[in-house]
C-alpha cells in the first residue's frame, strides 16, 4: 500500500473576517495599488527568488479588469467602514470567510512523493497544474469585495 497512490488532494484553509456588505467602503483602485497587488499575487506562486516581470504584472491587472471591473470606474477596492453600522455592531466586519489552497494529486505529484521530492518541487508541480495559493484566493475574494487586504495579508503571511 503506497501513500502516494491513495492521496487525492491536500487542502489548506484560513479564516478571515468578511466585510459587512451594508457598510463596506469602495474606492476605485489606483494603478499603482493594482500593480503592487498583482506583484503580491504572482509572487505567492513563485519560489520567492524570481520577481514577476512587468509584462506578467500588467497581464494580471488586465485579467482582473476584465473579470472584476465595474463599469467606468474599473476595479474597486473595499475596506471596512471605521464606524461600522448596526448590522455589524459597528465593527465593519460581519462573519467569517474561508481562504483555500487545494492541491490535487496527479501522476507527476505521485511520482515526486514516491521519490521523496522536496516540498518546493511539489509546490511548483501543483502550481503548474493550476493550484491557486492561499494569498491568490484571498486577493480574488478581496477583489470581489468580500474581505480586505489587511485580512488577506494577516492570514497568508509568507
Amino acid at each position: 500500500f503506497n501513500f502516494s497512490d491513495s492521496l487525492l488532494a491536500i487542502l489548506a484553509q484560513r479564516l478571515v473576517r468578511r466585510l459587512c456588505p451594508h457598510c463596506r467602503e469602495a474606492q476605485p483602485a489606483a494603478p499603482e495599488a493594482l500593480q503592487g497587488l498583482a506583484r503580491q499575487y504572482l509572487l505567492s506562486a513563485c519560489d520567492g527568488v524570481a520577481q514577476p516581470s512587468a509584462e506578467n504584472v500588467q497581464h494580471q491587472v488586465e485579467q482582473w479588469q476584465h473579470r472584476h471591473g465595474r463599469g467606468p470606474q474599473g476595479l474597486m477596492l473595499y475596506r471596512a467602514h471605521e464606524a461600522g453600522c448596526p448590522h455589524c455592531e459597528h465593527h465593519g466586519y460581519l462573519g467569517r470567510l474561508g481562504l483555500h489552497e487545494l492541491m490535487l494529486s496527479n501522476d507527476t505529484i505521485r511520482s515526486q512523493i514516491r521519490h521523496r521530492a522536496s516540498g518546493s518541487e511539489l509546490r511548483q508541480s501543483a502550481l503548474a497544474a493550476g493550484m491557486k495559493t492561499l494569498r491568490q484566493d484571498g486577493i480574488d475574494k478581496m477583489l470581489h469585495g468580500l474581505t480586505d487586504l489587511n485580512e488577506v495579508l494577516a492570514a497568508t503571511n509568507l
Side-chain angles (χ1 to χ4, degrees), residues 1-64:
F1 179 67
N2 197 339
F3 169 76
S4 64
D5 292 331
S6 63
L7 179 69
L8 298 176
I10 297 172
L11 175 70
Q13 59 185 5
R14 302 286 185 276
L15 288 178
V16 294
R17 294 182 295 176
R18 181 186 291 263
L19 291 173
C20 176
H22 304 285
C23 67
R24 69 183 179 185
E25 296 177 337
Q27 60 188 31
E32 308 83 47
L34 288 176
Q35 298 284 322
L37 201 56
R39 271 192 202 81
Q40 288 272 341
Y41 189 91
L42 296 169
L43 269 173
S44 74
C46 71
D47 55 13
V49 176
Q51 294 289 318
S53 70
E55 294 150 356
N56 288 345
V57 168
Q58 186 58 36
H59 183 259
Q60 185 61 55
V61 170
E62 289 168 4
Q63 282 183 328
W64 287 338

Side-chain angles (χ1 to χ4, degrees), residues 62-153:
E62 289 168 4
Q63 282 183 328
W64 287 338
Q65 293 280 8
H66 179 71
R67 222 177 314 150
H68 304 291
R70 294 183 175 45
Q73 299 151 329
L75 283 170
M76 304 297 283
L77 296 181
Y78 296 86
R79 64 183 181 145
H81 188 276
E82 278 186 35
C85 69
H87 296 281
C88 61
E89 297 180 3
H90 304 285
H91 294 290
Y93 296 95
L94 186 62
R96 301 279 177 179
L97 174 69
L99 305 183
H100 304 94
E101 178 176 296
L102 180 65
M103 182 182 89
L104 297 173
S105 184
N106 60 28
D107 290 337
T108 303
I109 291 173
R110 281 190 282 277
S111 175
Q112 287 177 319
I113 291 171
R114 277 194 290 276
H115 293 96
R116 297 181 182 262
S118 69
S120 63
E121 290 174 303
L122 288 166
R123 177 180 168 84
Q124 288 307 312
S125 293
L127 288 167
M131 178 182 85
K132 283 174 50 177
T133 66
L134 282 168
R135 181 157 293 177
Q136 288 174 331
D137 188 47
I139 290 172
D140 283 340
K141 289 177 178 172
M142 184 195 81
L143 291 171
H144 274 94
L146 301 174
T147 191
D148 59 18
L149 185 58
N150 291 338
E151 288 293 307
V152 171
L153 294 178

